[in-house]
Amino acid sequence: VDLELVASTFEHYQLEGLSLQLLSNNHSSPTLSLERAKLRALFLGGEISEFAQRWVRVGSEFAADPEMQLFDAAYLAGWGSPAEASINLPLLGEAMRNPVTDELAHRLNLLVSYTRLDVEEYEVSLTFLMNRNLDRPPNHVRYWNLLTGLGRGAEAIEAATSFPSHPRSAVEATQFAEAYGRM
């Protein structure tokens, strides 16, 4: 119960790295709730290949869980075959327009858009999160990296220099420095 409470607190504050540390150090057989928390932290923390391997083993346990099915749709939209992507991108888009799932769907869409090198879709989700004060500095760093990677360094520099916040941790400071170094 304590693990589940701490894991849900870490998830609420989007501390996927801490959540993964906590759940990886737990050597007992995970409850369904802890398995769910680990899958979510893996995906949102960018550990997509580990998410996929784990999902193959336990995904059937979440067949009736609409949020976890949204994670599966996001995975297939970003890392599946072109046919899987064409089926799942509209599902992700629907979830982004649904008030019940919009926040999570936009968070997932940031990762999907980044991997698909789709700046416009990334901007849609980043703007949505910003308008609700749900964005985090790593979301912006990833945006700057995306722009830089697509040869739009001047835009990345402009976005980075106009970013009003500062890193909140040593990890975020490192991410900022690495992004600045690539520009």
Side-chain angles (χ1 to χ4, degrees):
V1 172
D2 290 341
L3 276 174
E4 290 177 8
L5 180 61
V6 173
S8 68
T9 301
F10 286 163
E11 181 172 353
H12 174 77
Y13 290 104
Q14 299 178 31
L15 300 169
E16 290 84 15
L18 292 176
S19 191
L20 288 174
Q21 285 178 5
L22 172 76
L23 298 172
S24 295
N25 292 333
N26 177 26
H27 298 292
S28 63
S29 181
T31 64
L32 195 57
S33 176
L34 289 175
E35 190 67 57
R36 183 180 197 270
K38 185 161 189 173
L39 283 164
R40 291 170 64 95
L42 285 168
F43 196 97
L44 293 169
E47 302 290 335
I48 305 302
S49 61
E50 192 173 338
F51 167 86
Q53 292 170 4
R54 197 166 195 93
W55 185 257
V56 167
R57 290 195 312 268
V58 299
S60 62
E61 301 280 333
F62 300 100
D65 183 330
E67 280 193 357
M68 293 309 295
Q69 291 305 307
L70 187 54
F71 276 83
D72 185 40
Y75 171 73
L76 294 171
W79 293 268
S81 69
E84 290 168 324
S86 69
I87 293 168
N88 288 283
L89 281 169
L91 295 176
L92 187 57
E94 277 180 42
M96 289 168 28
R97 292 183 297 276
N98 181 339
V100 175
T101 57
D102 58 2
E103 179 185 342
L104 175 60
H106 279 284
R107 287 180 65 209
L108 294 171
N109 191 52
L110 290 177
L111 295 164
V112 171
S113 300
Y114 183 80
T115 203
R116 294 176 59 84
L117 304 176
D118 188 339
V119 173
E120 289 76 22
E121 274 298 307
Y122 196 97
E123 289 170 342
V124 166
S125 289
L126 184 59
T127 300
F128 173 90
L129 294 171
M130 287 170 55
N131 288 340
R132 296 194 177 183
N133 293 319
L134 298 170
D135 60 312
R136 294 185 50 234
N139 304 143
H140 294 271
V141 170
R142 188 175 289 123
Y143 176 59
W144 308 333
N145 288 336
L146 180 58
L147 288 171
T148 301
L150 293 173
R152 296 167 59 178
E155 290 176 64
I157 291 169
E158 182 181 332
T161 56
S162 66
F163 185 64
S165 186
H166 300 286
R168 298 179 299 178
S169 68
V171 171
E172 286 182 4
T174 301
Q175 291 173 340
F176 274 53
E178 289 172 351
Y180 294 155
R182 283 194 232 18
M183 291 181 201

